[in-house]
Amino acid sequence: MALNNEAVLTASKGYILTGAVNATEPTPAQIKAFSETTLPSGLTLLGHTSREDLPEFGFDGGDTETRGTWQNEALKEVVTDPAVEYVTFNLLQFDEEGLELYYSRANTDTGNGVYRASANTRTNERSLLIVVVDGGHKVGFFAPKVSIRREDAISLEVDNFGALPLRATILSPGGTGEPFAWIDEDVINPAVTP
């Protein structure tokens, strides 16, 4: 692997967007042209998120085991617990959408300035796009199907914004679709110009 200065990233600014499950994946050109007013079709900004606790990409599981035979004690490595990918982030907007995502419950008191949790839990399945901005360089992370739910307790502080900690678990989009993609036309397999 060669040194590639363009592939080094500082997450100085970023945006989280959601849309309907299996929304159209943004093109590399759309990520490059991204701005708060130039959003990919079918996706909307989720709102303000924490600058101190940036999105964190993680996984649960992924355990493997080495299995062998009498003739070869280390014949094969098998996955015994498949990895489940997720992204955590702190939403700072205590609005209807934020509360519905956090509690996984619809608001039963719409239009009255009140969020009243419904009795039934619901699944918050969406598409997820995270755009990381480093000066003029932009990188996108897109998952066509995630389930968003609360990750931790609501935190309140006197000298910082309150936060709704959320976890977006990446789900299989169905069919032959891939569960997620990193998008950056300048760094990831760039087009060759003759």
Side-chain angles (χ1 to χ4, degrees):
M1 180 182 307
L3 294 176
N4 183 348
N5 296 345
E6 299 302 316
V8 177
L9 182 66
T10 300
S12 57
K13 196 170 189 179
Y15 301 88
I16 299 177
L17 298 88
T18 60
V21 170
N22 290 325
T24 302
E25 180 177 298
T27 65
Q30 287 175 311
I31 296 300
K32 190 171 188 171
F34 177 87
S35 74
E36 291 178 29
T37 58
T38 310
L39 304 177
S41 177
L43 298 169
T44 59
L45 289 170
L46 186 57
H48 290 283
T49 55
S50 175
R51 183 176 178 87
E52 287 75 32
D53 298 305
L54 297 180
E56 187 172 319
F57 297 81
F59 68 94
D60 288 326
D63 297 333
T64 61
E65 181 179 294
T66 303
R67 295 193 180 157
T69 65
W70 198 11
Q71 293 74 30
N72 184 343
E73 63 276 357
L75 178 66
K76 183 184 259 190
E77 185 176 73
V78 295
V79 176
T80 58
D81 183 18
V84 175
E85 312 279 345
Y86 63 84
V87 180
T88 59
F89 55 92
N90 289 331
L91 182 62
L92 302 181
Q93 289 188 196
F94 283 71
D95 55 15
E96 184 172 13
E97 183 177 12
L99 292 168
E100 286 183 352
L101 287 174
Y102 182 78
Y103 289 107
S104 296
R105 295 172 183 259
N107 185 5
T108 61
D109 202 356
T110 59
N112 296 317
V114 174
Y115 168 78
R116 194 177 314 280
S118 65
N120 297 326
T121 58
R122 67 181 199 176
T123 303
N124 292 312
E125 290 186 351
R126 312 265 176 99
S127 289
L128 176 74
L129 173 64
I130 299 174
V131 178
V132 179
V133 180
D134 182 5
H137 184 200
K138 297 173 186 135
V139 177
F141 173 87
F142 179 75
K145 186 176 182 183
V146 300
S147 177
I148 302 175
R149 63 176 173 81
R150 63 180 145 190
E151 167 68 0
D152 207 345
I154 293 173
S155 63
L156 299 174
E157 299 177 36
V158 296
D159 58 351
N160 209 344
F161 297 116
L164 299 168
L166 297 174
R167 173 188 286 234
T169 302
I170 299 166
L171 305 174
S172 172
T176 59
E178 299 297 334
F180 62 87
W182 285 93
I183 307 166
D184 181 351
E185 76 176 4
D186 294 328
V187 176
I188 302 172
N189 195 18
V192 178
T193 307

